[in-house]
Amino acid sequence: MLDYRMETFFTVCQTMNFTHAAQRLHLTQPAVSHQIQQLEELYQVKLFENHGKKLTLTPAGRALQSAAVTMRHDSLLLAQQLRQIDGGARQMIFGATLTAGPYAILPPLLRYLQANPQLNLRLVIADTTDLLTQIEQGKIDFAVVEGFFPKKEYEAIPYARETFVAVCAQDYVFHRSVETVEDLLEERLLVREKGSGTRSILETYLHSRNLMLEDFPHWAEVNSILMLKQMACAGCGVTFLYETAVQEELQNGLLRRVPLRDFSLAHDFSFVWRRGSVFSAHYRQIFEDFCALR
């Protein structure tokens, strides 16, 4: 467990309100203020500033917040590992995005489970934003993501570099001759939900072309890659996905690539965990094991 004062600091960071933090911790507001003051005296820095009624972290406070998240996560994993030493089953708890999970991680994961029959596994499939939040909350140990993440907060190892492609139904008829991304603006865009790595990568690319998703007048947002592919196969529009996610449909002739002369994009699938974690070597070993089983 973290020092009780660090738990208090962590809660204040979440609520950015001393009164709300006190209610969540079942403490009085003066008790919360006193514990924060103790931390400030211990580290000889100011952790919070008041701007009117708004509470903000100082630069030192932000640095301690990052460390507190890592320490809290490590504390939870340590408790889990101690239970294993005391006779509990070995566990692995991690997350993967909707693309990385079934298309990049599943084959080596199946072999990993076969090689470790006593392992208890919990795999969480979610978008990149949700997975990073779950790492911070200590709900999962690490994640395999394809989206963007703050490099200052997380250590990462590239697992695979995947090509991003535009696809449509084999018999899809475009409104005009298509050579560039701008030529697709008359088509319906099939896109993942906000927070997904796939959508973030597409949005970043469009911004580099001075475009936004809103420039497509017709669109459909779906939080399922399977449904997105089915809609594309049915001719409902054009979508951008990793080639590994549509490889089978391309081979079977259900989908075809849309050749765009101004579109060439690849992105890493990465193992990520909290920077500074005392379990970094443990996560790196899992990464090595997965790579050996690919």
Side-chain angles (χ1 to χ4, degrees):
M1 293 292 292
L2 286 182
D3 181 289
Y4 67 93
R5 295 171 298 185
M6 289 297 293
E7 285 283 4
T8 297
F9 171 74
F10 186 80
T11 304
V12 174
C13 289
Q14 289 181 316
T15 61
M16 277 301 163
N17 185 290
F18 279 62
T19 301
H20 293 167
Q23 292 171 348
R24 184 177 295 186
L25 293 166
H26 304 291
L27 297 172
T28 65
Q29 192 272 333
V32 169
S33 299
H34 180 64
Q35 290 180 25
I36 297 302
Q37 184 179 357
Q38 287 181 317
L39 287 175
E40 292 179 331
E41 292 174 353
L42 175 65
Y43 294 113
Q44 298 184 345
V45 295
K46 188 74 173 174
L47 298 175
F48 293 97
E49 290 180 338
N50 275 301
H51 299 279
K53 294 184 178 181
K54 184 177 181 182
L55 190 67
T56 61
L57 282 161
T58 64
R62 287 194 295 271
L64 185 60
Q65 179 191 33
S66 177
V69 170
T70 301
M71 286 189 289
R72 189 171 188 269
H73 178 271
D74 284 353
S75 177
L76 293 169
L77 181 57
L78 177 60
Q80 173 190 313
Q81 294 200 346
L82 290 175
R83 287 193 296 271
Q84 293 172 19
I85 293 173
D86 200 34
R90 181 183 166 213
Q91 296 186 56
M92 184 165 69
I93 304 172
F94 76 103
T97 57
L98 278 74
T99 302
Y103 302 107
I105 289 298
L106 184 57
L109 177 60
L110 295 178
R111 289 186 280 272
Y112 190 88
L113 288 173
Q114 291 167 351
N116 298 271
Q118 303 303 315
L119 176 71
N120 289 337
L121 170 73
R122 182 161 69 86
L123 173 59
V124 176
I125 301 296
D127 62 43
T128 298
T129 301
D130 189 18
L131 292 176
L132 297 180
T133 299
Q134 292 199 46
I135 290 177
E136 292 189 3
Q137 295 174 344
K139 294 181 179 179
I140 59 177
D141 300 331
F142 65 93
V144 185
V145 303
E146 85 270 9
F148 298 101
F149 53 89
K151 301 296 193 296
K152 290 183 178 181
E153 300 293 329
Y154 295 91
E155 290 188 56
I157 310 177
Y159 175 72
R161 190 159 185 81
E162 301 290 347
T163 303
F164 213 56
V165 295
V167 295
C168 65
Q170 188 66 243
D171 58 353
Y172 187 85
V173 179
F174 291 96
H175 288 82
R176 58 185 295 182
S177 177
V178 174
E179 296 183 1
T180 69
V181 172
E182 285 85 348
D183 294 331
L184 295 176
L185 294 180
E186 296 182 38
E187 314 302 327
R188 177 185 285 113
L189 180 65
L190 310 176
V191 66
R192 287 279 308 282
E193 76 285 0
K194 291 181 180 179
S196 73
T198 300
R199 176 162 173 160
S200 296
I201 292 163
L202 176 59
E203 287 180 324
T204 299
Y205 177 81
L206 290 176
H207 290 165
S208 74
R209 306 292 302 178
N210 198 31
L211 294 170
M212 298 186 297
L213 291 180
E214 291 76 9
D215 290 322
F216 290 83
H218 308 294
W219 50 270
E221 179 181 295
V222 186
N223 67 345
S224 163
I225 291 179
L226 177 60
M227 288 191 64
L228 209 61
K229 293 194 296 182
Q230 291 175 335
M231 293 169 69
C233 289
C236 293
V238 177
T239 190
F240 290 80
L241 292 170
Y242 285 103
E243 188 169 13
T244 186
V246 292
Q247 192 170 33
E248 182 177 344
E249 288 80 7
L250 290 172
Q251 291 175 347
N252 293 339
L254 297 174
L255 292 175
R256 62 184 170 99
R257 293 182 62 159
V258 181
L260 302 170
R261 57 179 171 82
D262 63 343
F263 187 84
S264 178
L265 185 60
H267 198 77
D268 287 335
F269 286 8
S270 299
F271 271 60
V272 301
W273 60 87
R274 288 296 305 178
R275 182 169 295 281
S277 171
V278 297
F279 294 101
S280 288
H282 172 65
Y283 301 139
R284 289 181 182 275
Q285 185 58 59
I286 294 175
F287 170 80
E288 295 294 337
D289 292 343
F290 270 63
C291 287
L293 294 170
R294 288 169 64 182

